[in-house]
Amino acid sequence: MNYSIYYSTSAEKYILRLPKSKAESTIKRMQYVASNPFKKDNNIAKLAGTVSRYRLRIGDIRVVYWLDQEHKKMYVTKIAPRGSVYSE
C-alpha cells in the first residue's frame, strides 16, 4: 500500500533548513507513514472540515498533507513548527 510522496516547494525548503539529523528523521517518518497511512500508531489526525487532509506530528514539527487514495499519492503541502503550520 505504499504511497508516492510529493513535497511542495515550501515543504522542501523547510526540510533543507533543518539540521541534517532532523531532516533525515522527518523524511524517514514521512516514508513510514506513506507505507501505511491509516495505521493507528502513525500519530496522525484528520484536519477538521477537510475531505482528505491530515496532520502528522513529529516532535515540535507538524506536517500537513493530503492523500490521493485512487492514485496512491501523498502530497505534503506544509511543514512548519507547531504554532505556525495551520495559518495559511
Side-chain angles (χ1 to χ4, degrees), residues 26-65:
T26 300
I27 291 168
K28 185 179 272 190
R29 184 70 177 153
M30 289 304 304
Q31 292 169 340
Y32 177 76
V33 170
S35 70
N36 190 351
F38 302 106
K39 193 172 179 185
K40 296 292 183 199
D41 72 340
N42 281 339
N43 203 4
I44 62 171
K46 190 170 187 305
L47 294 179
T50 66
V51 176
S52 61
R53 285 185 55 168
Y54 298 87
R55 177 274 296 155
L56 169 65
R57 189 176 79 200
I58 306 172
D60 60 344
I61 294 175
R62 301 298 183 265
V63 178
V64 176
Y65 64 93

Side-chain angles (χ1 to χ4, degrees), residues 52-80:
S52 61
R53 285 185 55 168
Y54 298 87
R55 177 274 296 155
L56 169 65
R57 189 176 79 200
I58 306 172
D60 60 344
I61 294 175
R62 301 298 183 265
V63 178
V64 176
Y65 64 93
W66 64 276
L67 296 174
D68 178 352
Q69 294 182 27
E70 182 179 342
H71 298 103
K72 301 282 189 224
K73 295 181 180 180
M74 174 186 285
Y75 295 95
V76 177
T77 57
K78 192 167 187 181
I79 301 174

Side-chain angles (χ1 to χ4, degrees), residues 16-30:
L16 290 173
R17 288 192 308 261
L18 289 172
K20 186 177 179 177
S21 63
K22 195 158 194 159
E24 288 173 352
S25 66
T26 300
I27 291 168
K28 185 179 272 190
R29 184 70 177 153
M30 289 304 304

